[in-house]
Amino acid sequence: MTDQDRPANHPVFDHPWLSESLDEAHYFLHECVEHYHDAELVRFNLNAAIQALRNVTFRIQAHKDEIPSFDDWYEPWQRCLGADSSLRWVKDARTTVVHKKGLETASRASVELIYSYEQSPIQEFDLPASLPTHVLVTRALESVPEALAKNSLVEVKRRWISGLFPDANVLDVAGRALSVLGAMAFDLSRYLSEGGLVDVASLADGAALPDCLENIEESTAIRVTPGSGEYYELVSQGTMRPTEDELEEAESRYGVEALLEAIDPKRVHDPFYFVEAFVLPQARAIIALDGHHVTVVFLRIRGAWVPQEFRSENRLEKYLMWRSIAKTVAKTKADGVILVAEAWFAHADAFNGELYPDIANAEGRIEGLHIYAESEDGPHRSWVLFFRHVNGRTVVDEPIIDDVAGMFLEPVREVWRSTSADC
């Protein structure tokens, strides 16, 4: 593995023997993800990854003469590894692969028809490992009602299971083992250069997966439009991290610096206040000067508003976008959401009761910027700024404010309801 291919949270070590097995395991697990729906290639690469993971401690032990007070450093890690279920699985699986027979895997699949922002019933199946995923996809597409075919997605997810973890994806288990062993190698590298013992349990608990091994089932899900057979990828999103040059341009062009300086830090956590004090005037300036605005979602994480930019071109992609946002909300424990997005508006009479109205092409449609804020404890509000392009400039109307709940936020609300129920 070259440094260019190495994930940001996968460190480079001074001792080659410390990183070789980790690199091998990471490579083979990445190949499992790359060929996720080919059962044979998953088995080949998983077997190789298991042996590479087991070799990490073997190689450390082989070089113990190079490690001062080896037993003092190694024994706490040995206890930690023995208490971790993923490492116990690796140990048992390696014995099976090397001394008995190849690792046997089975699979479980789920099928969902996505046709709204709300969660649809999910069907689950136990599948023979040898059954190709595309066979299940074909059968699922054939069962979609004709009325929904053009405005829905069939989503198929598959989970590879084995041994002690019948309900977990075996690649998640192996990925957890890789992250813990990576933490162990990182600690050994630190110990060799600095000396001193640390709390190894906290290092293991905080071990992070390589980015390519996060959310495996989500990233490998197959999504197909029944009407056209078109495959959909995950919605593009990312935390907005503007460069210094971009910040300077925004400050001068949109007056960002003045807006931020005027914000009351004691009230900034309030979504309505944050919209009125910062989001709304900034968005208005962007529309007036640029004539358009990208879709931005602010998540309130531990009291701070974190912006993320999204790309979604149609209704189906919006369904996926908000499911993706909901997963981020669950992961980060975000308790507030603000949406800023362009939208088309039209009178209901233009649709004649259509189930999926085409607002973007409706007669009499109006272009507007929609800002919507809601927090976990319930309050919600929206601001709509209609705008039009006249003689080369953009005219922006005063905002219209209402308290109608946005249906698009239903996936996020479901996360919040689930969180409240668990408390």
Side-chain angles (χ1 to χ4, degrees), residues 391-409:
N391 298 326
R393 67 189 189 94
T394 304
V395 179
V396 185
D397 294 343
E398 290 300 311
I400 298 173
I401 303 173
D402 67 41
D403 58 358
V404 176
M407 280 301 300
F408 54 83
L409 208 69

Side-chain angles (χ1 to χ4, degrees), residues 198-234:
V198 298
D199 180 7
V200 301
S202 63
L203 288 180
D205 290 342
L209 281 174
D211 294 341
C212 60
L213 297 179
E214 287 191 341
N215 302 316
I216 290 176
E217 286 181 42
E218 185 69 24
S219 64
T220 57
I222 296 176
R223 301 176 180 88
V224 187
T225 305
S228 65
E230 178 184 0
Y231 281 73
Y232 269 76
E233 301 294 333
L234 279 176

Side-chain angles (χ1 to χ4, degrees), residues 1 34 55 106 109 150 152 192 206 210 246 249 252 254 259 350 370 405:
M1 179 185 295
E34 187 71 21
N55 285 343
K150 292 183 179 180
S152 64
L192 290 171
E246 289 172 335
E249 181 182 357
S252 62
Y254 308 123
L259 291 173
H370 185 204

